[in-house]
Amino acid sequence: NAAEEPSVVESMTVSGLDLWMLGEHETDGSEHRPTFRVHAESGEVDAQARYTLFRPRAVIYDEEDQEIVLTSDSGDLDQVSGKAHLRGDVLVESGELRLTMDESTWANKTELAYTETGVRLTSETAVLPANGVVIDHRRSGLGLLEETGTPDRGWIDWSSIFVT
């Protein structure tokens, strides 16, 4: 009798996913901080640690531990590549700032969130459409993209958008 091969689970459904990505280790001995966290009602995970997410709620932590919150209909997260993609009615909120878009990507290596598929920025003092956006939590700001793919309107500091 030949020994039976152990079965391999190709993917499994999971409820209540809570996933973290961490920033680079600090050389000054300070705590290894999270840069991105995502919670999903449910999802699937495969053998390569790729997650498919249903109704994810993600948080990007800025340098002052302020939260930038992203919600969407669906998404995926790949621990190996360090990228998360949110799709369908993506809403980004931080304080009074609201960004709406069809999709957004978080790249943990560069610690940037971005989209190049259209965005609408809304605050109490502004409504700005753009071809895309780059959100840099380390600079506490964002760059709105036009045709060139670079922040044509310069970097916008969060505080310049809010009514004080």
Side-chain angles (χ1 to χ4, degrees), residues 80-129:
V80 175
S81 72
K83 288 192 175 182
H85 305 279
L86 302 179
R87 291 179 197 81
D89 291 327
V90 177
L91 173 63
V92 179
E93 295 179 289
S94 181
E96 300 295 323
L97 175 71
R98 293 172 50 95
L99 299 165
T100 53
M101 58 200 81
D102 292 330
E103 65 182 20
S104 181
T105 298
W106 170 258
N108 204 55
K109 184 175 183 177
T110 59
E111 295 186 23
L112 296 174
Y114 59 89
T115 187
E116 295 176 350
T117 61
V119 64
R120 184 176 181 90
L121 177 147
T122 307
S123 76
E124 289 189 23
T125 60
V127 175
L128 300 170

Side-chain angles (χ1 to χ4, degrees), residues 3-158:
E4 288 188 31
E5 293 287 322
S7 62
V8 174
V9 176
E10 303 234 350
S11 70
M12 70 176 131
T13 302
V14 182
S15 294
L17 284 169
D18 211 5
L19 306 166
W20 297 80
M21 289 187 187
L22 300 175
E24 294 294 321
H25 283 286
E26 301 294 330
T27 57
D28 63 3
S30 61
E31 186 176 326
H32 195 191
R33 66 179 182 78
T35 55
F36 184 85
R37 173 185 174 242
V38 64
H39 175 81
E41 292 176 14
S42 63
E44 290 188 1
V45 60
D46 67 16
Q48 288 79 37
R50 291 183 301 229
Y51 297 84
T52 302
L53 311 168
F54 174 69
R55 299 188 51 78
R57 179 185 187 278
V59 177
I60 299 169
Y61 298 96
D62 75 8
E63 294 296 306
E64 286 127 30
D65 290 327
Q66 298 296 314
E67 295 182 354
I68 302 165
V69 178
L70 301 88
T71 56
S72 69
D73 295 334
S74 64
D76 59 78
L77 183 140
D78 185 335
Q79 291 281 15
V80 175
S81 72
K83 288 192 175 182
H85 305 279
L86 302 179
R87 291 179 197 81
D89 291 327
V90 177
L91 173 63
V92 179
E93 295 179 289
S94 181
E96 300 295 323
L97 175 71
R98 293 172 50 95
L99 299 165
T100 53
M101 58 200 81
D102 292 330
E103 65 182 20
S104 181
T105 298
W106 170 258
N108 204 55
K109 184 175 183 177
T110 59
E111 295 186 23
L112 296 174
Y114 59 89
T115 187
E116 295 176 350
T117 61
V119 64
R120 184 176 181 90
L121 177 147
T122 307
S123 76
E124 289 189 23
T125 60
V127 175
L128 300 170
N131 288 342
V133 67
V134 175
I135 301 169
D136 187 341
H137 70 101
R138 293 167 297 187
R139 292 174 68 171
S140 294
L142 56 90
L144 295 174
L145 308 179
E146 297 302 329
E147 292 80 22
T148 63
T150 59
D152 290 348
R153 296 181 185 162
W155 283 94
I156 302 170
D157 187 282
W158 297 135

